Amino acid sequence: MLHALVKHKPQIVHFSGHGAGDQGLALEDDSGQTQLVSTEVLTQLFKLLKEKINCVLLNACYSEAQAEAIHQPINYVIGMNQAIGDRAAIKFAGAFYQGLGNELSIEDAYELGRIAIQLAGIPESLTPILKIRAKPPAESKTSSQQEQKQDKPEDISPFSNLFNISNSSIKNVSGSRTINYHESSS
C-alpha cells in the first residue's frame, strides 16, 4: 500500500474490504495474512500524503471511526457507520464514480451513490457517511466560484484508469493512477 500511494500519487484512494470499528481496517501483510491497521497509523499516513489526496473512500463495514480521523487532513472521506452488504457497497461505488466521471462534485457523487442504493431497493442508503474537512479561515474566504471550481472532477485530474466492477470486487485493469468509471452490461 505504501509503495502504491507514494509511486502513483492518487488523488482518490478507495479501500474496499473489512473494517473492525475502532480497531482499524483489515489489510493483508506481505505473507498474505490479515493485519489490522489502526486508525492512528492510517491518520498519520494520510496526514503525510494530504497534499496529493483529495478523497478517501473507505468502502468497509464500521469504518466511520477511520473516516472521522482521516478527514482532519483530507478534504473528503467517506466511511460506513455500520455493516454494509456487498450489493450496497458496489451500487454506492459504481454510482459514486459514475458521478465523478460525469463531472459531479464529490459531494454530489456521494449523494448519487446513496440514491443508487435506494433505487436498488437496498435499505442501507444511510450507511455511507461523508466527512468534509473544515477549511482554515484563509481558505474559507475564497469566492464561491473558486470553491465550485475546486470541486469539479476535471480539476482533480483526468480520468485514465479503468476499473472492472463486478459481483463484490473492483479491479484496476489499466494500472494508471486516476479513475474512469465504465459501466458495461456484461
Side-chain angles (χ1 to χ4, degrees), residues 119-137:
L119 288 173
I122 304 168
E124 297 175 74
S125 65
L126 298 178
T127 301
I129 302 296
L130 175 63
K131 304 287 185 176
I132 302 172
R133 179 178 67 93
K135 292 184 166 94

mmCIF file with all atom_site columns, all heavy atoms in Angstrom, residues 119-137:
data_model
loop_
_atom_site.group_PDB
_atom_site.id
_atom_site.type_symbol
_atom_site.label_atom_id
_atom_site.label_alt_id
_atom_site.label_comp_id
_atom_site.label_asym_id
_atom_site.label_entity_id
_atom_site.label_seq_id
_atom_site.pdbx_PDB_ins_code
_atom_site.Cartn_x
_atom_site.Cartn_y
_atom_site.Cartn_z
_atom_site.occupancy
_atom_site.B_iso_or_equiv
_atom_site.pdbx_formal_charge
_atom_site.auth_seq_id
_atom_site.auth_comp_id
_atom_site.auth_asym_id
_atom_site.auth_atom_id
_atom_site.pdbx_PDB_model_num
ATOM 1   N N   . LEU A 1 119 ? -32.436 3.158  -5.062 1.00 0.00 ? 119 LEU A N   1
ATOM 2   C CA  . LEU A 1 119 ? -33.085 2.693  -6.294 1.00 0.00 ? 119 LEU A CA  1
ATOM 3   C C   . LEU A 1 119 ? -33.003 1.181  -6.451 1.00 0.00 ? 119 LEU A C   1
ATOM 4   O O   . LEU A 1 119 ? -33.876 0.577  -7.074 1.00 0.00 ? 119 LEU A O   1
ATOM 5   C CB  . LEU A 1 119 ? -32.464 3.385  -7.516 1.00 0.00 ? 119 LEU A CB  1
ATOM 6   C CG  . LEU A 1 119 ? -32.815 4.862  -7.693 1.00 0.00 ? 119 LEU A CG  1
ATOM 7   C CD1 . LEU A 1 119 ? -32.000 5.471  -8.835 1.00 0.00 ? 119 LEU A CD1 1
ATOM 8   C CD2 . LEU A 1 119 ? -34.311 5.030  -7.953 1.00 0.00 ? 119 LEU A CD2 1
ATOM 9   N N   . ALA A 1 120 ? -31.967 0.585  -5.884 1.00 0.00 ? 120 ALA A N   1
ATOM 10  C CA  . ALA A 1 120 ? -31.825 -0.871 -5.943 1.00 0.00 ? 120 ALA A CA  1
ATOM 11  C C   . ALA A 1 120 ? -32.690 -1.567 -4.888 1.00 0.00 ? 120 ALA A C   1
ATOM 12  O O   . ALA A 1 120 ? -32.701 -2.797 -4.823 1.00 0.00 ? 120 ALA A O   1
ATOM 13  C CB  . ALA A 1 120 ? -30.353 -1.256 -5.769 1.00 0.00 ? 120 ALA A CB  1
ATOM 14  N N   . GLY A 1 121 ? -33.381 -0.782 -4.090 1.00 0.00 ? 121 GLY A N   1
ATOM 15  C CA  . GLY A 1 121 ? -34.235 -1.371 -3.065 1.00 0.00 ? 121 GLY A CA  1
ATOM 16  C C   . GLY A 1 121 ? -33.466 -1.940 -1.891 1.00 0.00 ? 121 GLY A C   1
ATOM 17  O O   . GLY A 1 121 ? -33.961 -2.807 -1.176 1.00 0.00 ? 121 GLY A O   1
ATOM 18  N N   . ILE A 1 122 ? -32.272 -1.450 -1.678 1.00 0.00 ? 122 ILE A N   1
ATOM 19  C CA  . ILE A 1 122 ? -31.426 -1.931 -0.578 1.00 0.00 ? 122 ILE A CA  1
ATOM 20  C C   . ILE A 1 122 ? -31.557 -0.928 0.573  1.00 0.00 ? 122 ILE A C   1
ATOM 21  O O   . ILE A 1 122 ? -31.350 0.269  0.376  1.00 0.00 ? 122 ILE A O   1
ATOM 22  C CB  . ILE A 1 122 ? -29.948 -2.047 -1.032 1.00 0.00 ? 122 ILE A CB  1
ATOM 23  C CG1 . ILE A 1 122 ? -29.841 -2.944 -2.272 1.00 0.00 ? 122 ILE A CG1 1
ATOM 24  C CG2 . ILE A 1 122 ? -29.086 -2.580 0.103  1.00 0.00 ? 122 ILE A CG2 1
ATOM 25  C CD1 . ILE A 1 122 ? -28.480 -2.889 -2.950 1.00 0.00 ? 122 ILE A CD1 1
ATOM 26  N N   . PRO A 1 123 ? -31.891 -1.390 1.769  1.00 0.00 ? 123 PRO A N   1
ATOM 27  C CA  . PRO A 1 123 ? -32.153 -0.465 2.889  1.00 0.00 ? 123 PRO A CA  1
ATOM 28  C C   . PRO A 1 123 ? -30.893 0.028  3.611  1.00 0.00 ? 123 PRO A C   1
ATOM 29  O O   . PRO A 1 123 ? -30.883 0.136  4.825  1.00 0.00 ? 123 PRO A O   1
ATOM 30  C CB  . PRO A 1 123 ? -33.019 -1.306 3.820  1.00 0.00 ? 123 PRO A CB  1
ATOM 31  C CG  . PRO A 1 123 ? -32.544 -2.690 3.603  1.00 0.00 ? 123 PRO A CG  1
ATOM 32  C CD  . PRO A 1 123 ? -32.184 -2.770 2.131  1.00 0.00 ? 123 PRO A CD  1
ATOM 33  N N   . GLU A 1 124 ? -29.827 0.327  2.873  1.00 0.00 ? 124 GLU A N   1
ATOM 34  C CA  . GLU A 1 124 ? -28.574 0.741  3.511  1.00 0.00 ? 124 GLU A CA  1
ATOM 35  C C   . GLU A 1 124 ? -28.091 2.101  3.019  1.00 0.00 ? 124 GLU A C   1
ATOM 36  O O   . GLU A 1 124 ? -26.913 2.425  3.131  1.00 0.00 ? 124 GLU A O   1
ATOM 37  C CB  . GLU A 1 124 ? -27.490 -0.309 3.255  1.00 0.00 ? 124 GLU A CB  1
ATOM 38  C CG  . GLU A 1 124 ? -27.811 -1.663 3.854  1.00 0.00 ? 124 GLU A CG  1
ATOM 39  C CD  . GLU A 1 124 ? -26.793 -2.719 3.487  1.00 0.00 ? 124 GLU A CD  1
ATOM 40  O OE1 . GLU A 1 124 ? -25.685 -2.677 4.046  1.00 0.00 ? 124 GLU A OE1 1
ATOM 41  O OE2 . GLU A 1 124 ? -27.108 -3.579 2.635  1.00 0.00 ? 124 GLU A OE2 1
ATOM 42  N N   . SER A 1 125 ? -29.001 2.925  2.498  1.00 0.00 ? 125 SER A N   1
ATOM 43  C CA  . SER A 1 125 ? -28.579 4.197  1.902  1.00 0.00 ? 125 SER A CA  1
ATOM 44  C C   . SER A 1 125 ? -28.036 5.190  2.924  1.00 0.00 ? 125 SER A C   1
ATOM 45  O O   . SER A 1 125 ? -27.331 6.129  2.556  1.00 0.00 ? 125 SER A O   1
ATOM 46  C CB  . SER A 1 125 ? -29.726 4.837  1.126  1.00 0.00 ? 125 SER A CB  1
ATOM 47  O OG  . SER A 1 125 ? -30.771 5.193  2.014  1.00 0.00 ? 125 SER A OG  1
ATOM 48  N N   . LEU A 1 126 ? -28.331 4.991  4.203  1.00 0.00 ? 126 LEU A N   1
ATOM 49  C CA  . LEU A 1 126 ? -27.807 5.892  5.229  1.00 0.00 ? 126 LEU A CA  1
ATOM 50  C C   . LEU A 1 126 ? -26.492 5.393  5.828  1.00 0.00 ? 126 LEU A C   1
ATOM 51  O O   . LEU A 1 126 ? -25.932 6.038  6.718  1.00 0.00 ? 126 LEU A O   1
ATOM 52  C CB  . LEU A 1 126 ? -28.850 6.094  6.335  1.00 0.00 ? 126 LEU A CB  1
ATOM 53  C CG  . LEU A 1 126 ? -30.159 6.741  5.887  1.00 0.00 ? 126 LEU A CG  1
ATOM 54  C CD1 . LEU A 1 126 ? -31.130 6.840  7.056  1.00 0.00 ? 126 LEU A CD1 1
ATOM 55  C CD2 . LEU A 1 126 ? -29.914 8.109  5.264  1.00 0.00 ? 126 LEU A CD2 1
ATOM 56  N N   . THR A 1 127 ? -25.990 4.267  5.330  1.00 0.00 ? 127 THR A N   1
ATOM 57  C CA  . THR A 1 127 ? -24.743 3.701  5.850  1.00 0.00 ? 127 THR A CA  1
ATOM 58  C C   . THR A 1 127 ? -23.514 4.505  5.433  1.00 0.00 ? 127 THR A C   1
ATOM 59  O O   . THR A 1 127 ? -22.663 4.780  6.269  1.00 0.00 ? 127 THR A O   1
ATOM 60  C CB  . THR A 1 127 ? -24.613 2.220  5.444  1.00 0.00 ? 127 THR A CB  1
ATOM 61  O OG1 . THR A 1 127 ? -25.747 1.513  5.960  1.00 0.00 ? 127 THR A OG1 1
ATOM 62  C CG2 . THR A 1 127 ? -23.340 1.591  5.988  1.00 0.00 ? 127 THR A CG2 1
ATOM 63  N N   . PRO A 1 128 ? -23.373 4.913  4.162  1.00 0.00 ? 128 PRO A N   1
ATOM 64  C CA  . PRO A 1 128 ? -22.210 5.738  3.805  1.00 0.00 ? 128 PRO A CA  1
ATOM 65  C C   . PRO A 1 128 ? -22.323 7.115  4.465  1.00 0.00 ? 128 PRO A C   1
ATOM 66  O O   . PRO A 1 128 ? -23.376 7.759  4.420  1.00 0.00 ? 128 PRO A O   1
ATOM 67  C CB  . PRO A 1 128 ? -22.298 5.859  2.286  1.00 0.00 ? 128 PRO A CB  1
ATOM 68  C CG  . PRO A 1 128 ? -23.200 4.753  1.851  1.00 0.00 ? 128 PRO A CG  1
ATOM 69  C CD  . PRO A 1 128 ? -24.156 4.549  2.979  1.00 0.00 ? 128 PRO A CD  1
ATOM 70  N N   . ILE A 1 129 ? -21.233 7.567  5.069  1.00 0.00 ? 129 ILE A N   1
ATOM 71  C CA  . ILE A 1 129 ? -21.174 8.853  5.755  1.00 0.00 ? 129 ILE A CA  1
ATOM 72  C C   . ILE A 1 129 ? -20.044 9.677  5.138  1.00 0.00 ? 129 ILE A C   1
ATOM 73  O O   . ILE A 1 129 ? -18.912 9.214  5.052  1.00 0.00 ? 129 ILE A O   1
ATOM 74  C CB  . ILE A 1 129 ? -20.889 8.652  7.268  1.00 0.00 ? 129 ILE A CB  1
ATOM 75  C CG1 . ILE A 1 129 ? -21.965 7.783  7.904  1.00 0.00 ? 129 ILE A CG1 1
ATOM 76  C CG2 . ILE A 1 129 ? -20.769 9.989  7.983  1.00 0.00 ? 129 ILE A CG2 1
ATOM 77  C CD1 . ILE A 1 129 ? -23.350 8.374  7.908  1.00 0.00 ? 129 ILE A CD1 1
ATOM 78  N N   . LEU A 1 130 ? -20.362 10.903 4.715  1.00 0.00 ? 130 LEU A N   1
ATOM 79  C CA  . LEU A 1 130 ? -19.365 11.809 4.134  1.00 0.00 ? 130 LEU A CA  1
ATOM 80  C C   . LEU A 1 130 ? -18.849 12.746 5.206  1.00 0.00 ? 130 LEU A C   1
ATOM 81  O O   . LEU A 1 130 ? -19.622 13.430 5.876  1.00 0.00 ? 130 LEU A O   1
ATOM 82  C CB  . LEU A 1 130 ? -19.977 12.610 2.982  1.00 0.00 ? 130 LEU A CB  1
ATOM 83  C CG  . LEU A 1 130 ? -19.090 13.682 2.343  1.00 0.00 ? 130 LEU A CG  1
ATOM 84  C CD1 . LEU A 1 130 ? -17.855 13.070 1.692  1.00 0.00 ? 130 LEU A CD1 1
ATOM 85  C CD2 . LEU A 1 130 ? -19.888 14.500 1.339  1.00 0.00 ? 130 LEU A CD2 1
ATOM 86  N N   . LYS A 1 131 ? -17.531 12.785 5.348  1.00 0.00 ? 131 LYS A N   1
ATOM 87  C CA  . LYS A 1 131 ? -16.860 13.715 6.263  1.00 0.00 ? 131 LYS A CA  1
ATOM 88  C C   . LYS A 1 131 ? -16.100 14.725 5.401  1.00 0.00 ? 131 LYS A C   1
ATOM 89  O O   . LYS A 1 131 ? -15.378 14.338 4.485  1.00 0.00 ? 131 LYS A O   1
ATOM 90  C CB  . LYS A 1 131 ? -15.865 12.983 7.174  1.00 0.00 ? 131 LYS A CB  1
ATOM 91  C CG  . LYS A 1 131 ? -16.462 11.846 7.972  1.00 0.00 ? 131 LYS A CG  1
ATOM 92  C CD  . LYS A 1 131 ? -17.326 12.335 9.084  1.00 0.00 ? 131 LYS A CD  1
ATOM 93  C CE  . LYS A 1 131 ? -17.821 11.170 9.936  1.00 0.00 ? 131 LYS A CE  1
ATOM 94  N NZ  . LYS A 1 131 ? -18.574 11.610 11.081 1.00 0.00 ? 131 LYS A NZ  1
ATOM 95  N N   . ILE A 1 132 ? -16.291 16.000 5.698  1.00 0.00 ? 132 ILE A N   1
ATOM 96  C CA  . ILE A 1 132 ? -15.645 17.060 4.928  1.00 0.00 ? 132 ILE A CA  1
ATOM 97  C C   . ILE A 1 132 ? -14.727 17.841 5.859  1.00 0.00 ? 132 ILE A C   1
ATOM 98  O O   . ILE A 1 132 ? -15.151 18.286 6.927  1.00 0.00 ? 132 ILE A O   1
ATOM 99  C CB  . ILE A 1 132 ? -16.690 18.000 4.289  1.00 0.00 ? 132 ILE A CB  1
ATOM 100 C CG1 . ILE A 1 132 ? -17.633 17.196 3.391  1.00 0.00 ? 132 ILE A CG1 1
ATOM 101 C CG2 . ILE A 1 132 ? -16.006 19.119 3.520  1.00 0.00 ? 132 ILE A CG2 1
ATOM 102 C CD1 . ILE A 1 132 ? -18.817 17.981 2.873  1.00 0.00 ? 132 ILE A CD1 1
ATOM 103 N N   . ARG A 1 133 ? -13.481 18.005 5.439  1.00 0.00 ? 133 ARG A N   1
ATOM 104 C CA  . ARG A 1 133 ? -12.500 18.739 6.240  1.00 0.00 ? 133 ARG A CA  1
ATOM 105 C C   . ARG A 1 133 ? -12.909 20.205 6.330  1.00 0.00 ? 133 ARG A C   1
ATOM 106 O O   . ARG A 1 133 ? -13.285 20.817 5.337  1.00 0.00 ? 133 ARG A O   1
ATOM 107 C CB  . ARG A 1 133 ? -11.111 18.638 5.603  1.00 0.00 ? 133 ARG A CB  1
ATOM 108 C CG  . ARG A 1 133 ? -10.026 19.392 6.372  1.00 0.00 ? 133 ARG A CG  1
ATOM 109 C CD  . ARG A 1 133 ? -8.663  19.217 5.737  1.00 0.00 ? 133 ARG A CD  1
ATOM 110 N NE  . ARG A 1 133 ? -8.564  19.834 4.438  1.00 0.00 ? 133 ARG A NE  1
ATOM 111 C CZ  . ARG A 1 133 ? -8.127  21.072 4.212  1.00 0.00 ? 133 ARG A CZ  1
ATOM 112 N NH1 . ARG A 1 133 ? -7.744  21.835 5.203  1.00 0.00 ? 133 ARG A NH1 1
ATOM 113 N NH2 . ARG A 1 133 ? -8.055  21.534 2.985  1.00 0.00 ? 133 ARG A NH2 1
ATOM 114 N N   . ALA A 1 134 ? -12.829 20.743 7.527  1.00 0.00 ? 134 ALA A N   1
ATOM 115 C CA  . ALA A 1 134 ? -13.105 22.167 7.709  1.00 0.00 ? 134 ALA A CA  1
ATOM 116 C C   . ALA A 1 134 ? -11.962 22.959 7.097  1.00 0.00 ? 134 ALA A C   1
ATOM 117 O O   . ALA A 1 134 ? -10.792 22.643 7.302  1.00 0.00 ? 134 ALA A O   1
ATOM 118 C CB  . ALA A 1 134 ? -13.232 22.479 9.195  1.00 0.00 ? 134 ALA A CB  1
ATOM 119 N N   . LYS A 1 135 ? -12.313 23.964 6.327  1.00 0.00 ? 135 LYS A N   1
ATOM 120 C CA  . LYS A 1 135 ? -11.292 24.791 5.689  1.00 0.00 ? 135 LYS A CA  1
ATOM 121 C C   . LYS A 1 135 ? -10.757 25.809 6.690  1.00 0.00 ? 135 LYS A C   1
ATOM 122 O O   . LYS A 1 135 ? -11.521 26.377 7.463  1.00 0.00 ? 135 LYS A O   1
ATOM 123 C CB  . LYS A 1 135 ? -11.891 25.503 4.486  1.00 0.00 ? 135 LYS A CB  1
ATOM 124 C CG  . LYS A 1 135 ? -12.242 24.547 3.370  1.00 0.00 ? 135 LYS A CG  1
ATOM 125 C CD  . LYS A 1 135 ? -12.748 25.321 2.171  1.00 0.00 ? 135 LYS A CD  1
ATOM 126 C CE  . LYS A 1 135 ? -12.782 24.469 0.975  1.00 0.00 ? 135 LYS A CE  1
ATOM 127 N NZ  . LYS A 1 135 ? -13.791 23.785 0.527  1.00 0.00 ? 135 LYS A NZ  1
ATOM 128 N N   . PRO A 1 136 ? -9.439  26.056 6.669  1.00 0.00 ? 136 PRO A N   1
ATOM 129 C CA  . PRO A 1 136 ? -8.884  27.105 7.523  1.00 0.00 ? 136 PRO A CA  1
ATOM 130 C C   . PRO A 1 136 ? -9.514  28.453 7.158  1.00 0.00 ? 136 PRO A C   1
ATOM 131 O O   . PRO A 1 136 ? -9.967  28.628 6.023  1.00 0.00 ? 136 PRO A O   1
ATOM 132 C CB  . PRO A 1 136 ? -7.394  27.100 7.191  1.00 0.00 ? 136 PRO A CB  1
ATOM 133 C CG  . PRO A 1 136 ? -7.130  25.762 6.580  1.00 0.00 ? 136 PRO A CG  1
ATOM 134 C CD  . PRO A 1 136 ? -8.419  25.358 5.918  1.00 0.00 ? 136 PRO A CD  1
ATOM 135 N N   . PRO A 1 137 ? -9.544  29.419 8.090  1.00 0.00 ? 137 PRO A N   1
ATOM 136 C CA  . PRO A 1 137 ? -10.189 30.709 7.827  1.00 0.00 ? 137 PRO A CA  1
ATOM 137 C C   . PRO A 1 137 ? -9.734  31.380 6.540  1.00 0.00 ? 137 PRO A C   1
ATOM 138 O O   . PRO A 1 137 ? -10.541 31.944 5.818  1.00 0.00 ? 137 PRO A O   1
ATOM 139 C CB  . PRO A 1 137 ? -9.814  31.546 9.046  1.00 0.00 ? 137 PRO A CB  1
ATOM 140 C CG  . PRO A 1 137 ? -9.564  30.548 10.125 1.00 0.00 ? 137 PRO A CG  1
ATOM 141 C CD  . PRO A 1 137 ? -9.013  29.331 9.438  1.00 0.00 ? 137 PRO A CD  1
#
